[in-house]
Amino acid sequence: MKTSLKNQYAQANQALIGIVSAVLGYNLYQAIVHPEKSHLIISIVLLGITCYMCKYYGYKTAKETEEK
């Protein structure tokens, strides 16, 4: 069975999405409650990198793409 090189990164991308969501949510909270402790720009850059990685490598596994 041949697997696509792009789909090997699907699980890593799912973990990356979860981590980035948590970091962005925490920094949004900090921006509202304690603006001086916020690192919102770094979080937005991290979000952009994550979007690029998911578009480039894909975020669905080989099984999910075959079923649909």
Side-chain angles (χ1 to χ4, degrees), residues 4 6-7 25 30 32-33 36 42 52 55:
S4 174
K6 290 183 177 184
N7 289 332
Q30 288 290 13
I32 294 168
V33 178
E36 66 277 357
I42 295 172
Y52 172 76
K55 284 183 182 179

Side-chain angles (χ1 to χ4, degrees), residues 10-59:
Q11 290 179 342
N13 281 341
Q14 291 295 328
L16 184 63
I17 289 170
I19 292 169
V20 169
S21 297
V23 169
L24 183 64
Y26 176 75
N27 281 318
L28 281 174
Y29 166 76
Q30 288 290 13
I32 294 168
V33 178
H34 304 289
E36 66 277 357
K37 294 183 180 179
S38 170
H39 300 289
L40 202 54
I41 294 175
I42 295 172
S43 295
I44 292 172
V45 169
L46 185 61
L47 182 67
I49 291 170
T50 303
C51 287
Y52 172 76
M53 297 271 300
C54 288
K55 284 183 182 179
Y56 187 76
Y57 290 112
Y59 55 91

